């Protein structure tokens, strides 16, 4: 018999580790403990079974105890909770939940894949049976039962993260009127506010009410329902509440064992995924690891990194000496008919690190079509890219749209992983045919745009910076008069780009001009005309009037 490896926790990281380790080492004794009743299930698919989009519940169960044993010869112990670690003796204490007995198990190597749990803060009334969380299959079953039993017509989702948004969509599909309450001024925190505004618009268009910038003060059960009272004084009546305000790492086991953790309780690991104890690895949601774009420490509770860590931990246990380069937070979500994706750093995160726009980083915002405009079916997407002002290195990207969003973010995630710059994005060769893309793919266009900024060809300004304009700055709209009649930026002046060369004398070269068109392309041409005719202070409004028309609205009730 080879080395004895105990794995605490299944689902993504633990199950991946066990399977990979068996493929590498047939002689190892592998025991996996899971305090729940399911070893491996598709937790990302749970909301879609609630709506019926995924019809068969069994499709969510990826492995059973029996199938895992038959395939990988792993001793899987369901409803067995590891409650303590004796690092000196290299044993763990285990509670057999079903039989109510305690026992110890020795190990040569221990892997902690204990995951995370939904936050449940001490808000008055939070223990009501009408308040549900969605994290496991049993949670899902309870929600489905409550929907049927209580004839739910109205629901409040507390929290606008990925789970909250997915629950809002699927409850809506199930015929429930949904209100999202979010303490921040936006949903989907991995996005910046300007990109989240597009999600806000789409949610409202699909019948979801938004209460943003307002937290929950209390929950109050009433006859047949529950009221959500907010700090802002709103009283939202509902038949059901879904609590989705974030997660915390399940690190009590590690803390009690004296392993090094961060302030949030995340288990600190090195590049080999080892904890402060050389015989103990930690993987998945529970760990504090490296943020790949910046080299800072971070915690990213996503299935992709958890699976990769599980495989890598197994490699290292088997003696392969692999190193984990870090997590960059690539994620994608379906929001009704829209796709939302991100990778790397956003502006909020950079600002929290002390970085400043224009000084340390720059941003491009484009509104290209998903494929060539002359081919039928092209749909708009918005692509935001953030890059280092000095080196041009790509730091992060976000996209919102209907087709091709995940494709572009996947390319940019790869670019970030390999340290690419905007200059590389100009050169990168991507597949092109009219039904799929354009000869200049949106990723290439972001590169061109970024290079124009760095080379001084044309600088830009974001909508979020417009509030800082002074009396010496003028917004110049270069769309046609007909377009301007349909809507314009307050206080702007209009000279169509095709008339600009003949009307330059109407402008004052001592002033700074923010040039705007529909999406930024005509404004770029106008900027170049102005700059080559003696205008020294000229910037293109990123995203043009399309961005302005979305960002200048309030979608919160």
């Amino acid at each position: 018999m080879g080395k004895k490896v105990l794995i605490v926790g299944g689902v993504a990281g633990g199950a991946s580790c066990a399977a990979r380790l068996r493929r590498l080492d047939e002689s190892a004794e592998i025991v996996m403990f899971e305090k729940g009743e399911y070893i491996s299930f598709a937790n990302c698919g749970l909301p879609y079974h609630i709506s019926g989009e995924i019809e068969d519940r069994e499709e969510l169960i990826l492995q059973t105890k029996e199938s895992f044993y038959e395939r990988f010869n792993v001793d899987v112990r369901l409803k067995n909770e590891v409650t303590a670690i004796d690092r000196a003796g290299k044993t763990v204490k285990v509670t057999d939940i079903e039989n109510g007995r305690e026992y110890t198990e020795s190990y040569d190597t221990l892997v902690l894949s204990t995951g995370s749990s939904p936050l449940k803060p001490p808000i008055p009334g939070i223990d009501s049976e009408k308040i549900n969380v969605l994290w496991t299959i049993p949670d899902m079953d309870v929600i489905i039962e409550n929907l049927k039993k209580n004839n739910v017509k109205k629901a409040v989702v507390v929290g606008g993260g990925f789970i909250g948004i997915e629950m809002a969509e699927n409850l809506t599909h199930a015929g429930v009127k949904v209100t999202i309450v979010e303490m921040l001024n936006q949903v989907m925190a991995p996005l910046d506010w300007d990109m989240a505004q597009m999600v806000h618009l789409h949610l409202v268009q699909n019948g979801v009410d938004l209460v943003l910038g307002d937290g929950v003060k209390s929950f109050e059960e009433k006859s047949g329902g529950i009221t959500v009272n907010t700090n802002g004084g709103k009283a939202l009546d509902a038949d059901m509440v879904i609590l989705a305000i974030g997660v915390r790492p399940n690190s009590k086991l590690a803390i009690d064992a004296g392993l090094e953790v961060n302030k949030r309780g995340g288990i600190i690991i090195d590049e080999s995924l080892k904890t402060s104890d050389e015989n103990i690895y930690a993987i998945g949601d529970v760990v504090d690891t490296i943020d790949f774009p910046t080299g800072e420490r971070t915690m990213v509770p996503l299935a992709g990194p958890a699976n990769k860590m599980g495989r890598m931990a197994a490699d290292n246990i088997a003696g392969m000496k692999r190193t984990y380069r870090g997590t960059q937070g690539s994620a994608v979500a379906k929001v009704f008919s829209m796709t939302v994706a991100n990778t790397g750093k956003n502006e909020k995160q950079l600002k929290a690190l002390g970085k400043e726009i224009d000084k340390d980083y720059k941003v491009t915002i484009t509104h290209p079509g998903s494929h060539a405009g002359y081919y039928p079916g092209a749909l708009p997407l918005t692509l935001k890219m953030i890059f280092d002002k000095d080196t041009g290195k790509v730091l992060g990207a976000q996209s919102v749209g209907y087709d091709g969003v995940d494709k572009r973010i996947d390319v940019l995630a790869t670019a970030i992983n390999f340290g690419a710059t905007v200059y590389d994005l100009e050169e990168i060769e991507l597949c092109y045919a009219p039904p799929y893309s354009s000869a200049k793919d949106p990723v290439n266009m972001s590169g061109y745009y970024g290079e124009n900024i760095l080379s001084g060809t044309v600088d830009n300004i974001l909508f979020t910076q417009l509030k800082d304009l002074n009396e010496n700055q003028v917004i110049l709209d270069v769309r046609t008069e007909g377009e301007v009649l349909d809507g314009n930026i307050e206080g702007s002046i209009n000279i169509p780009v095709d008339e600009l060369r003949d009307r330059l004398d109407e402008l004052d070269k001592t002033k700074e001009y923010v040039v705007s068109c529909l999406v930024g392309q005509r404004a770029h041409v106008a900027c170049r005309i102005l700059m080559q005719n003696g205008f020294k202070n000229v910037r293109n409004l990123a995203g043009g009037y399309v961005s302005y028309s979305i960002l200048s609205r309030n979608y919160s009730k």
Side-chain angles (χ1 to χ4, degrees):
M1 185 67 70
K3 67 177 67 175
K4 185 175 182 180
V5 180
L6 304 185
I7 300 173
V8 185
V11 193
S16 294
C17 182
R20 172 68 170 175
L21 183 57
R22 175 57 73 219
R23 292 194 296 269
L24 295 175
D25 186 351
E26 187 66 22
S27 68
E29 181 183 357
I30 307 172
V31 182
M32 182 160 57
F33 302 95
E34 171 55 54
K35 68 179 181 180
E37 54 188 297
Y38 298 95
I39 175 182
S40 182
F41 63 92
N43 47 1
C44 295
L46 301 182
Y48 301 98
H49 181 58
I50 290 172
S51 67
E53 185 78 13
I54 297 175
E55 295 183 7
D56 188 352
R57 180 180 181 278
E58 297 305 308
E59 290 293 325
L60 299 171
I61 301 172
L62 306 179
Q63 288 278 0
T64 65
K65 172 181 176 177
E66 293 74 22
S67 67
F68 209 75
Y69 177 77
E70 290 171 3
R71 178 71 55 85
F72 299 111
N73 189 26
V74 172
D75 180 0
V76 178
R77 302 181 189 178
L78 299 178
K79 296 185 179 180
N80 276 244
E81 181 178 8
V82 176
T83 58
I85 302 169
D86 178 356
R87 292 167 55 191
K90 296 180 72 173
T91 63
V92 298
K93 182 184 293 184
V94 187
T95 297
D96 183 337
I97 298 171
E98 247 181 355
N99 298 311
R101 70 181 183 93
E102 285 191 347
Y103 63 96
T104 61
E105 196 74 50
S106 64
Y107 65 84
D108 295 310
T109 301
L110 179 65
V111 180
L112 300 180
S113 179
T114 47
S116 56
S117 296
L119 283 171
K120 198 173 181 182
I123 299 171
I126 199 167
D127 293 324
S128 168
E129 290 185 359
K130 296 186 181 299
I131 299 175
N132 300 266
V133 297
L134 181 64
W135 203 244
T136 65
I137 286 181
D139 292 338
M140 177 191 72
D141 294 337
V142 168
I143 291 172
I144 292 173
E145 181 183 355
N146 288 344
L147 283 170
K148 295 175 180 177
K149 182 176 67 177
N150 299 322
N151 191 28
V152 173
K153 297 299 182 185
K154 293 189 296 183
V156 171
V157 175
V158 182
F162 282 76
I163 293 175
I165 294 294
E166 289 168 354
M167 279 304 303
E169 174 187 348
N170 284 280
L171 287 173
T172 299
H173 288 326
V176 178
K177 173 62 179 178
V178 178
T179 299
I180 294 175
V181 178
E182 170 55 57
M183 186 179 296
L184 301 177
N185 67 344
Q186 66 166 88
V187 300
M188 305 191 84
L191 299 182
D192 286 315
W193 174 83
D194 51 5
M195 298 296 285
Q197 277 284 82
M198 299 175 196
V199 182
H200 298 157
L201 172 60
H202 191 62
L203 288 167
V204 170
Q205 289 174 334
N206 281 276
V208 176
D209 289 338
L210 298 176
V211 177
L212 303 175
D214 196 358
V216 175
K217 182 179 181 181
S218 66
F219 299 102
E220 184 181 354
E221 278 203 42
K222 294 187 176 179
S223 177
I226 185 169
T227 299
V228 180
N229 299 304
T230 73
N231 293 324
K234 291 181 172 63
L236 307 171
D237 293 327
D239 304 308
M240 169 189 282
V241 171
I242 301 294
L243 200 63
I245 58 176
V247 298
R248 57 172 176 77
N250 294 330
S251 54
K252 184 178 184 302
L253 188 63
I255 293 170
D256 290 347
L259 296 178
E260 187 179 356
V261 298
N262 65 16
K263 291 180 180 179
R264 292 175 54 197
I267 304 172
I268 295 174
I269 56 173
D270 64 15
E271 62 181 11
S272 70
L273 306 177
K274 282 185 180 180
T275 67
S276 52
D277 185 317
E278 65 175 10
N279 298 304
I280 303 177
Y281 291 79
I283 57 178
D285 290 9
V286 75
V287 305
D288 170 299
T289 185
I290 295 295
D291 175 60
F292 183 79
T294 66
E296 303 286 334
R297 304 297 299 190
T298 190
M299 295 180 68
V300 182
L302 292 171
N307 275 282
K308 293 178 182 67
M309 288 182 193
R311 177 186 175 93
M312 190 170 290
D315 289 351
N316 287 333
I317 293 167
M320 296 178 67
K321 300 188 183 304
R322 299 278 303 280
T323 60
Y324 189 68
R325 293 192 291 172
T327 299
Q328 64 188 59
S330 301
V332 64
K334 176 180 177 294
V335 183
F336 291 94
S337 58
M338 182 176 272
T339 301
V340 181
N342 67 278
T343 188
K345 308 309 290 180
N346 59 38
E347 282 198 83
K348 297 192 298 283
Q349 292 166 328
L350 290 174
K351 288 173 181 175
L353 293 171
K355 307 295 185 182
E356 298 179 24
I357 189 169
D358 293 333
K359 177 183 175 183
D360 300 300
Y361 69 90
K362 294 293 290 187
V363 173
T364 66
I365 297 176
T366 55
H367 298 286
S370 56
H371 60 249
Y374 59 82
Y375 187 87
L379 296 170
L381 65 84
T382 299
L383 182 58
K384 177 175 183 175
M385 183 186 65
I386 304 170
F387 57 97
D388 185 274
K389 184 177 182 295
D390 295 325
T391 65
K393 184 178 179 180
V394 183
L395 300 175
Q398 303 157 47
S399 187
V400 176
Y402 299 91
D403 185 31
V405 166
D406 54 335
K407 168 181 174 179
R408 272 68 192 213
I409 293 299
D410 279 344
V411 170
L412 287 165
T414 304
I416 291 171
N417 201 265
F418 286 98
T421 67
V422 294
Y423 310 109
D424 295 314
L425 298 186
E426 291 183 290
E427 301 294 335
I428 192 170
E429 186 174 333
L430 302 172
C431 296
Y432 162 62
Y436 302 104
S437 184
S438 299
K440 295 177 181 177
D441 187 86
V443 172
N444 298 128
M445 293 303 297
S446 292
Y448 297 143
Y449 192 170
E451 188 276 332
N452 279 335
I453 292 172
L454 293 182
S455 67
T457 304
V458 175
D459 199 359
N460 71 354
I461 185 171
L462 305 186
F463 169 86
T464 50
Q465 297 174 287
L466 285 185
K467 65 180 183 297
D468 296 325
L469 294 185
N470 58 50
E471 61 183 17
N472 197 48
Q473 296 169 307
V474 179
I475 299 176
L476 173 62
D477 191 329
V478 296
R479 294 176 298 155
T480 65
E481 293 180 7
E483 289 176 283
V484 171
L485 288 174
D486 288 334
N488 68 312
I489 300 174
E490 184 178 354
S492 63
I493 63 173
N494 174 229
I495 301 178
V497 64
D498 293 338
E499 302 174 16
L500 185 57
R501 290 185 181 87
D502 297 326
R503 297 175 60 181
L504 290 174
D505 58 354
E506 298 177 27
L507 302 176
D508 184 348
K509 291 184 179 180
T510 67
K511 293 186 179 294
E512 178 181 344
Y513 288 91
V514 174
V515 186
S516 174
C517 64
L518 187 64
V519 297
Q521 290 179 330
R522 283 173 288 174
H524 176 79
V525 174
C527 285
R528 290 303 301 158
I529 292 172
L530 293 173
M531 293 172 70
Q532 294 178 84
N533 279 277
F535 290 80
K536 302 298 184 184
N537 297 308
V538 179
R539 288 200 281 179
N540 188 344
L541 179 61
Y545 187 74
V546 167
S547 285
Y548 176 85
S549 63
I550 295 171
L551 302 182
S552 58
R553 293 173 59 185
N554 178 24
Y555 301 100
S556 180
K557 291 180 73 70

